[in-house]
Amino acid sequence: MHNYLLLLRIRIKEFSDPRKLILLPMAAVIFIAIYELAKYLAFSGQTSVLPLLGYVMALALTFITTVLKINDMLSGKDDSEFLLSMPFSSAIQVFTMFSIMYAKNLAYCILTELPCLLVYIQTEYINIPVWIIGLLLSSLMINGMAVLVGIVIILGLANSPKKNQIISGISLVLVTSVIALVLMLADRIYLVTTGAGGFDVSIVGEITHYFRLARFYQMGIVEGEITNILLYIFMSLIWYGVFLFLHTMAYQTVITELRSPVVYGEMEGVKETFKEPNKALLKKEINQFLRSRSYLINASIGVILGILLPINFIILGTENLGMLKWAVPVIICVCVGLSCTSYCAMSMEGKRHWIMETIPMDVNSVIKSKVQINLFLTVPMSVISAVLFAIAFKANLIQFALYVIVPVLYSLLTAFIGIRLDIKYGSFKSESEDIVLRQGKPFLFGYVAFVVLPVIITALIII
């Protein structure tokens, strides 16, 4: 127990940072948004779906964050070899890391399940102690599955020279799939609550029909059937225990594979080619963007939403959403803000910044290459999204012009303001990309402001 507490203290210090408190306002916004969605569903007569909806959202968050972070959490940190050499058993090291993952995943579960419960208990009864048991066990089974998927991916690519790019691509596909599934669920909720398309089926019935664990949760935790409660607890604990045991047995092998890349291999002939400095800088920025999973995913969420949302409207139809056509430029601008990279582009150099500072090039060329990455993401997305939204809403020429011009101008504005904020407030001292991406003044005054600003301006105009 002493060794476990000592190692837990080291791990908590490693992953904790006071600057992460800046994420609390974002968590509060998400909590309020889920609460308002729950109120809408309750008003539409779908109160019964609320606990299950919160549970499914918790599983989705747990799965995607665990897969994306498993390399760092288990054995991707620079100190993993040091910790491996310490007089701690593999069981203690594994249990420590899974304890930290459990605490983080529990926070995600509270964030999604609690607002749904608060609305649900206003009209329906639920056994609160049983619900707490469900909350505490929510992440266990899906976390084990996510860890397994993550380890298989990173071990399969451990010796690949394109490991980082491939893992980034897989992560991007995973994020896209989750967003698509969320939109499909939102479509189903919309069709059921509005009665469109003749849908009168139960959302709970559809989810539990295809997802057995959700059935145990609904029948046991929500409806209080003792057999399903026991099945839910048994499956969650047994699966998690078995996986902990298996990973403990394989822990040292996993770390050795991940931390010992192939040193000798076939030497391919390298042909020296002259490259223009600006093209070389741009290529370097593209490679850095593709190699960093956190950077790529953080910037791609807006692009994914900008493309999938209008496609979703085309499929779903917009007969009952006529007024939304005037909000399309705002929606695209929010996606542009979500895809901003310039607010952290300089800081992402981290400890490598001395290389950037010593190259024989004008600093404006470096800045230009970082702004170009931002524009390569947001401008094409803005135009494609505008075309798709115009098709969905059958926009006239004036509306289509607004759909294109406003987001493109916003792309230029956010790209240049973002880089200026990073130059003024950025820092090269952060060792973690997550700190650069989601903490500090550039994140608060840039990324967050770029996402919120279009909504605020639109609200002021309407008022």
Side-chain angles (χ1 to χ4, degrees):
M1 178 59 71
H2 175 74
N3 288 342
Y4 167 72
L5 294 176
L6 178 61
L7 190 55
L8 184 63
R9 182 178 178 182
I10 295 173
R11 285 293 185 180
I12 291 175
K13 185 177 181 180
E14 176 185 352
F15 288 99
S16 63
D17 191 313
R19 287 172 293 184
K20 290 185 178 180
L21 293 175
I22 197 172
L23 299 177
L24 289 179
M26 294 184 62
V29 170
I30 295 173
F31 186 94
I32 293 172
I34 295 175
Y35 182 80
E36 292 299 322
L37 171 63
K39 287 175 59 179
Y40 165 75
L41 289 172
F43 178 77
S44 303
Q46 294 293 324
T47 306
S48 61
V49 78
L50 296 182
L52 188 61
L53 182 63
Y55 175 69
V56 171
M57 288 191 292
L59 297 189
L61 271 176
T62 296
F63 184 82
I64 190 170
T65 55
T66 302
V67 170
L68 296 180
K69 294 295 182 182
I70 190 60
N71 191 25
D72 291 340
M73 283 297 299
L74 291 181
S75 50
K77 293 291 183 181
D78 292 335
D79 64 354
S80 59
E81 290 176 339
F82 167 71
L83 291 176
L84 186 62
S85 66
M86 295 180 70
F88 299 138
S89 67
S90 296
I92 291 178
Q93 298 207 37
V94 171
F95 192 63
T96 301
M97 289 183 289
F98 273 70
S99 297
I100 293 175
M101 279 194 289
Y102 173 76
K104 295 172 70 174
N105 292 332
L106 180 60
Y108 295 141
C109 294
I110 294 173
L111 185 65
T112 60
E113 294 185 46
L114 183 57
C116 293
L117 176 73
L118 293 177
V119 176
Y120 184 80
I121 61 177
Q122 293 177 17
T123 56
E124 304 289 340
Y125 170 78
I126 192 170
N127 190 318
I128 298 299
V130 173
W131 176 82
I132 292 175
I133 293 174
L135 176 68
L136 294 176
L137 301 179
S138 290
S139 66
L140 293 188
M141 179 174 286
I142 202 70
N143 184 72
M145 295 178 182
V147 170
L148 180 61
V149 171
I151 288 178
V152 169
I153 292 173
I154 57 182
L155 282 181
L157 299 171
N159 296 325
S160 172
K162 298 290 185 180
K163 171 187 172 183
N164 290 333
Q165 291 92 326
I166 296 174
I167 292 179
S168 296
I170 293 174
S171 302
L172 191 59
V173 170
L174 177 63
V175 172
T176 304
S177 301
V178 171
I179 292 176
L181 288 173
V182 170
L183 289 176
M184 289 174 61
L185 178 61
D187 290 350
R188 179 62 62 177
I189 291 173
Y190 172 77
L191 292 172
V192 171
T193 54
T194 60
F199 287 97
D200 57 357
V201 295
S202 167
I203 299 175
V204 173
E206 288 199 346
I207 295 175
T208 55
H209 177 72
Y210 295 103
F211 188 17
R212 185 60 59 179
L213 188 62
R215 176 175 177 79
F216 293 146
Y217 180 87
Q218 175 68 23
M219 301 300 293
I221 305 302
V222 179
E223 299 184 19
E225 292 187 3
I226 187 63
T227 302
N228 285 284
I229 293 175
L230 295 176
L231 280 173
Y232 177 82
I233 295 174
F234 176 79
M235 290 183 64
S236 299
L237 293 178
I238 293 298
W239 169 259
Y240 203 62
V242 168
F243 186 82
L244 278 173
F245 173 76
L246 293 176
H247 187 68
T248 299
M249 300 298 293
Y251 179 65
Q252 295 193 19
T253 302
V254 170
I255 287 188
T256 301
E257 288 291 329
L258 291 176
R259 304 295 294 176
S260 303
V262 173
V263 177
Y264 300 103
E266 295 183 3
M267 298 293 294
E268 297 181 358
V270 179
K271 188 180 291 185
E272 297 252 345
T273 57
F274 173 77
K275 295 180 181 177
E276 294 181 11
N278 289 332
K279 290 184 179 179
L281 269 177
L282 183 59
K283 183 177 180 180
K284 174 258 179 189
E285 290 298 324
I286 294 174
N287 287 335
Q288 178 181 341
F289 179 72
L290 295 177
R291 282 177 175 272
S292 170
R293 292 198 305 278
S294 298
Y295 198 19
L296 175 65
I297 293 170
N298 193 75
S300 299
I301 290 177
V303 175
I304 295 170
L305 285 173
I307 303 300
L308 291 186
L309 278 175
I311 293 176
N312 184 64
F313 284 127
I314 291 174
I315 297 173
L316 185 65
T318 57
E319 289 77 9
N320 300 323
L321 302 172
M323 292 300 296
L324 190 62
K325 68 170 58 179
W326 295 104
V328 167
V330 178
I331 296 173
I332 303 177
C333 285
V334 170
C335 294
V336 168
L338 287 169
S339 292
C340 182
T341 62
S342 61
Y343 79 95
C344 64
M346 301 293 285
S347 298
M348 284 295 291
E349 297 292 340
K351 293 182 178 180
R352 304 185 303 269
H353 71 93
W354 64 271
I355 300 176
M356 179 183 65
E357 293 172 350
T358 56
I359 58 176
M361 291 189 66
D362 182 59
V363 66
N364 289 328
S365 298
V366 177
I367 294 174
K368 179 182 176 181
S369 67
K370 294 183 179 296
V371 171
Q372 283 179 319
I373 293 293
N374 195 124
L375 296 179
F376 287 164
L377 282 174
T378 57
V379 173
M381 181 274 292
S382 298
V383 175
I384 295 172
S385 183
V387 172
L388 294 174
F389 269 117
I391 295 173
F393 287 97
K394 299 179 176 60
N396 56 40
L397 187 60
I398 295 177
Q399 291 169 339
F400 177 67
L402 288 175
Y403 291 0
V404 175
I405 294 173
V406 173
V408 169
L409 291 177
Y410 194 66
S411 297
L412 297 171
L413 181 68
T414 54
F416 287 103
I417 292 179
I419 198 69
R420 293 301 171 188
L421 286 170
D422 195 30
I423 291 172
K424 184 173 182 179
Y425 298 112
S427 171
F428 298 120
K429 298 179 181 179
S430 298
E431 298 183 359
S432 169
E433 290 183 349
D434 290 336
I435 294 177
V436 175
L437 290 169
R438 301 180 185 89
Q439 298 172 36
K441 291 182 179 179
F443 169 75
L444 183 61
F445 299 142
Y447 187 83
V448 175
F450 295 158
V451 174
V452 175
L453 187 62
V455 180
I456 294 177
I457 293 176
T458 303
L460 291 175
I461 293 174
I462 294 175
I463 295 174

